Amino acid sequence: MSAASARPTVSEREARQVAEAAREQEWRKPSFAKELFLGRFRLDLIHPHPTPSTEQVQRGEEFLAKLRDFVETKVDGGLIEREARIPDEVITGLKELGALGMKIDPKYGGLGLTQVYYNKALALVGSASPAIGVLLSAHQSIGVPQPLKMFGTPEQKERFLPRCARTDISAFLLTEPDVGSDPARLATTAVPDGDSYVLDGVKLWTTNGVVADLLVVMARVPKSEGHKGGITAFVVEAGSEGITVENRNSFMGLRGIENGLTRFHQVRVPAENRVGPEGAGLKIALTTLNTGRLSLPASCVAAGKWCLKIAREWSAAREQWGRPVARHEAVGAKISFIAATTFALEAVMDLSSQMADEDRNDIRIEGALAKLIASEMGWTMADELVQIRGGRGFETADSLAARGERGVPAEQLLRDLRINRIFEGSTEIMHLLIAREAVDAHLSVAGDLIDPDKALGDKARAGMKAGGFYARWLPKLVAGPGHIPGAYSSFHPAGHPDLAAHLRYVERNARKLARSTFYAMSRWQGRMETKQGFLGRVVDIGAELFAMSASCVRAEMLRTRGENGREAYQLADAFCRQSRIRVEELFGRLWTNTDAIDRKVVDGVLGGAYTWLESGIVDPSSDGPWIADTTPGASGKENVHRPIR
């Protein structure tokens, strides 16, 4: 059997239906971001800023103090970068510290930290070595602990969570060599056999997979008598017979991560290790990622803080034309961007995390927006730091140190952060995912109107339902508090920048965004889902408005606490002014863009019309297929799996 014949053949529509069926269909709790996309600026959902309890703060701060001492004395980030491996003794030390169980309930041996302090811990350890941050995040955010916490049985929690809290590293296995964001084509199978399932298939980019003790594996159960079938989640012992880690992958950055290619051949998994019912695997994966994505902003916030520190120290010491480079406007603008953006990203991360901890808001959009804006802005901040450092930004830390200068790993940061725009949903996929949630209210009332497969009777009923909804909704998009000069006046205390004006801007433009989305749906109807350029800009506007809101709310919280309030207001004001420029540009590009000509050029590229443009070069790529053969079967390679004990 060839790899092609082993893989399910699905149409684009069938693939979309699989993804749609897996998403959470109901909104049981209010969502600030969802309301924002509907043109409703619900400041009451985020202000006053939610705060952790005294006990949560004490527990979190005590662990952070221990973790800081550990990373300062036991972690050599340069060594990890040079050897492309985290020393076993470092991982053992993290286990002894309890870092594997930060999010696990104390009754299972974990530390029971909140999402807020979990993120602070990831930021701290990630600043010492991003590879360690990834190891801990992959283990707890998407590995065995999170799916079991949300969907596991009491027996499964008792069996596996104590191991995950102290000794066992876990990994999450979804992606395959020919399957990324299109799970309908998942080829790994789990065939029922008595009281077990037999797994066959290949998984790619298994972060932690090389050293993991436990795996969460997504596999397709064939539909049969007594079996609903569908994509299903399993907890699998990594040392099971028939599992081979065939390769430890190497990357541009994050050189210390243990990421591999894993083959399953006739791997027997007890039915009691199935997480949730058959067919629920994709929903489990997506639901897990709703909060799991919040770990990525933690690494980006840490990167921003470090960028700011290095930019401040370097640009004060480096002089050009008689003054420090920071005093030159071209460099100063970059420093201002780094400072303001770091403040905003921390505001977004902490607000989203605290809402997740309190469980009073549905944060699926907030978590996705946090991941989206943090990964994009984090990369930009690192790029600006390299530019500020000039030639030294392009030089490695080891080379700098070898010739007697401070070993600043700016180029490493740029390489390490690049994957965040791809990890756990690429920027392009995040645009589509968030856009789908943002228009959920519209599809719930008018979806049948634009569905070509629906009968005329269904469309008529949908038309009546939509008419009632829009008769109530559209008039509210005309005017609001954003047009009242004194609105949100508590955000303009004496002697501070006027953040109230920014909140009024957010309110006005939330309504403008909702009007733009409605107009686009009316214009394109069923073709709306193909307008990915438009949808991406809509989402980016929403992300900016969310970040502006979070920044203002955080600044006001810090002011009322007496914690650098004036400076926080200045940073929030700077970010909002920078953000407003980006928002205006995005609104302009909703309707004035090159989307149509871009599609024509792509047709020409794929049709070979421009191959002449590729002449005059040589291609240094090696020979081989674009996608490796993943035909099921026994492995013929050495098993490079190496559990750490």
Side-chain angles (χ1 to χ4, degrees):
M1 181 187 294
S2 69
S5 62
R7 191 163 303 286
T9 302
V10 294
S11 67
E12 179 180 1
R13 183 170 182 80
E14 289 170 332
R16 292 180 185 277
Q17 288 173 339
V18 169
E20 179 66 17
R23 62 177 285 273
E24 180 63 49
Q25 303 289 332
E26 298 180 12
W27 292 83
R28 303 182 187 89
K29 301 169 187 174
S31 164
F32 173 79
K34 181 174 185 283
E35 292 292 294
L36 198 67
F37 280 108
L38 285 170
R40 299 191 283 251
F41 180 48
R42 293 285 307 277
L43 185 61
D44 61 295
L45 293 177
I46 61 173
H47 175 69
H49 194 294
T51 55
S53 68
T54 302
E55 187 273 334
Q56 290 172 334
V57 171
Q58 181 179 350
R59 186 191 312 163
E61 292 294 339
E62 287 177 354
F63 177 71
L64 287 181
K66 296 177 183 176
L67 184 62
R68 175 175 289 278
D69 178 69
F70 180 83
V71 298
E72 287 180 342
T73 60
K74 305 296 183 182
V75 175
D76 184 343
L79 176 68
I80 294 172
E81 174 72 4
R82 288 190 295 275
E83 298 189 353
R85 177 158 290 168
I86 303 169
D88 288 1
E89 57 268 25
V90 171
I91 296 178
T92 299
L94 290 168
K95 291 180 179 182
E96 294 171 350
L97 200 61
L100 293 187
M102 287 187 284
K103 290 186 70 177
I104 297 176
D105 194 296
K107 70 180 180 181
Y108 299 115
L111 300 180
L113 298 187
T114 62
Q115 183 74 37
V116 169
Y117 274 96
Y118 170 67
N119 283 345
K120 289 181 182 293
L122 290 180
L124 176 60
V125 75
S127 65
S129 169
I132 297 178
V134 170
L135 181 141
L136 294 176
S137 174
H139 165 67
Q140 292 171 88
S141 298
I142 56 176
V144 170
Q146 190 68 18
L148 287 192
K149 176 183 177 181
M150 303 180 73
F151 300 99
T153 65
E155 293 75 18
Q156 289 173 334
K157 293 176 182 178
E158 291 285 350
R159 285 175 58 206
F160 296 118
L161 290 184
R163 293 169 56 184
C164 292
R166 292 290 175 179
T167 59
D168 289 16
I169 296 172
S170 68
F172 175 78
L173 281 63
L174 172 63
T175 303
E176 297 177 358
D178 197 26
V179 177
S181 300
D182 181 10
R185 300 174 62 246
L186 198 76
T188 298
T189 58
V191 179
D193 183 19
D195 58 357
S196 301
Y197 291 82
V198 179
L199 269 62
D200 281 281
V202 178
K203 295 293 185 179
L204 178 62
W205 297 325
T206 59
T207 302
N208 289 359
V210 177
V211 297
D213 304 285
L214 290 171
L215 313 172
V216 174
V217 182
M218 299 295 164
R220 182 184 302 279
V221 177
K223 187 175 182 179
S224 62
E225 184 177 351
H227 291 276
K228 176 184 176 181
I231 299 173
T232 306
F234 299 89
V235 176
V236 181
E237 298 282 354
S240 299
E241 184 178 353
I243 297 180
T244 305
V245 179
E246 295 187 337
N247 193 62
R248 181 179 186 265
N249 303 322
S250 301
F251 301 97
M252 170 197 295
L254 298 178
R255 290 178 175 169
I257 63 174
E258 299 287 352
N259 181 294
L261 177 78
T262 303
R263 177 178 292 272
F264 296 84
H265 175 59
Q266 297 290 292
V267 179
R268 189 166 291 274
V269 180
E272 63 194 33
N273 283 24
R274 188 188 70 218
V275 183
E278 289 182 358
L282 190 54
K283 176 171 283 191
I284 290 171
L286 294 178
T287 305
T288 297
L289 284 172
N290 283 337
T291 53
R293 287 193 178 98
L294 290 176
S295 62
L296 281 178
S299 66
C300 296
V301 168
K305 289 175 179 286
W306 185 76
C307 286
L308 182 59
K309 178 180 184 295
I310 297 301
R312 173 178 57 82
E313 295 176 350
W314 163 250
S315 61
R318 173 67 163 170
E319 290 190 1
Q320 290 283 275
W321 297 294
R323 53 179 170 168
V325 293
R327 299 298 181 185
H328 292 283
E329 195 170 271
V331 175
K334 298 180 186 301
I335 296 173
S336 174
F337 167 77
I338 292 172
T341 303
T342 299
F343 178 83
L345 294 189
E346 188 166 38
V348 166
M349 180 186 73
D350 278 3
L351 179 61
S352 300
S353 298
Q354 187 59 44
M355 289 195 293
D357 285 331
E358 295 189 356
D359 199 28
R360 63 182 173 91
N361 296 79
D362 191 322
I363 66 152
R364 72 182 85 166
I365 300 183
E366 284 83 353
L369 286 174
K371 188 273 178 187
L372 172 67
I373 194 168
S375 59
E376 291 294 325
M377 290 297 195
W379 162 260
T380 304
M381 287 191 292
D383 187 55
E384 294 287 40
L385 177 65
V386 168
Q387 193 71 17
I388 290 170
R389 288 275 289 161
R392 290 172 173 83
F394 193 67
E395 192 172 359
T396 67
D398 283 349
S399 178
L400 288 164
R403 59 182 183 78
E405 292 192 1
R406 184 177 301 187
V408 178
E411 60 83 30
Q412 180 192 335
L413 180 70
L414 195 64
R415 290 187 285 102
D416 288 342
L417 284 178
R418 184 59 182 84
I419 189 59
N420 286 347
R421 298 174 64 204
I422 300 171
F423 260 169
E424 297 185 20
S426 69
T427 291
E428 293 73 25
I429 291 300
M430 297 308 296
H431 279 153
L432 298 181
L433 183 152
I434 298 167
R436 172 60 186 88
E437 299 295 352
V439 301
D440 181 70
H442 299 284
L443 293 180
S444 67
V445 299
D448 287 353
L449 278 173
I450 60 178
D451 189 336
D453 293 340
K454 293 297 181 181
L456 288 177
D458 294 328
K459 291 181 180 292
R461 285 187 291 272
M464 295 178 61
K465 184 179 179 182
F469 171 79
Y470 290 117
R472 296 187 301 272
W473 178 68
L474 287 172
K476 297 178 181 179
L477 301 183
V478 177
H483 289 104
I484 302 174
Y488 314 115
S489 58
S490 62
F491 285 82
H492 190 193
H496 290 67
D498 184 6
L499 298 188
H502 298 311
L503 293 179
R504 291 194 294 271
Y505 178 88
V506 171
E507 196 278 336
R508 291 194 306 273
N509 283 277
R511 286 186 283 108
K512 181 179 179 181
L513 183 61
R515 293 194 302 268
S516 300
T517 304
F518 173 74
Y519 173 71
M521 290 189 66
S522 302
R523 176 180 176 181
W524 291 314
Q525 298 186 32
R527 293 183 294 125
M528 180 77 162
E529 65 183 16
T530 68
K531 303 298 181 179
Q532 295 179 3
F534 178 90
L535 292 172
R537 295 175 200 116
V538 164
V539 169
D540 285 340
I541 292 170
E544 295 282 0
L545 298 180
F546 176 43
M548 290 174 67
S549 305
S551 299
C552 292
V553 169
R554 182 177 184 82
E556 174 61 9
M557 176 188 69
L558 294 176
R559 184 190 72 83
T560 57
R561 287 181 178 178
E563 300 176 5
N564 304 302
R566 191 178 305 278
E567 293 78 14
Y569 257 67
Q570 291 171 347
L571 290 169
D573 182 46
F575 175 79
C576 288
R577 290 177 184 276
Q578 295 167 8
S579 180
R580 287 168 70 157
I581 294 172
R582 295 190 291 267
V583 168
E584 293 302 318
E585 179 186 357
L586 287 164
F587 267 122
R589 290 174 56 213
L590 285 179
W591 312 110
T592 304
N593 52 63
T594 62
D595 292 350
I597 187 63
D598 291 342
R599 286 191 292 272
K600 291 181 180 179
V601 170
V602 169
D603 289 342
V605 170
L606 295 181
Y610 310 128
T611 53
W612 51 269
L613 192 58
E614 300 165 9
S615 64
I617 62 166
V618 293
D619 183 354
S621 309
S622 66
D623 292 332
W626 286 105
I627 298 169
D629 183 19
T630 56
T631 303
S635 177
K637 296 186 176 181
E638 176 188 359
N639 188 2
V640 297
H641 180 233
R642 56 174 201 91
I644 299 170
R645 292 298 185 200

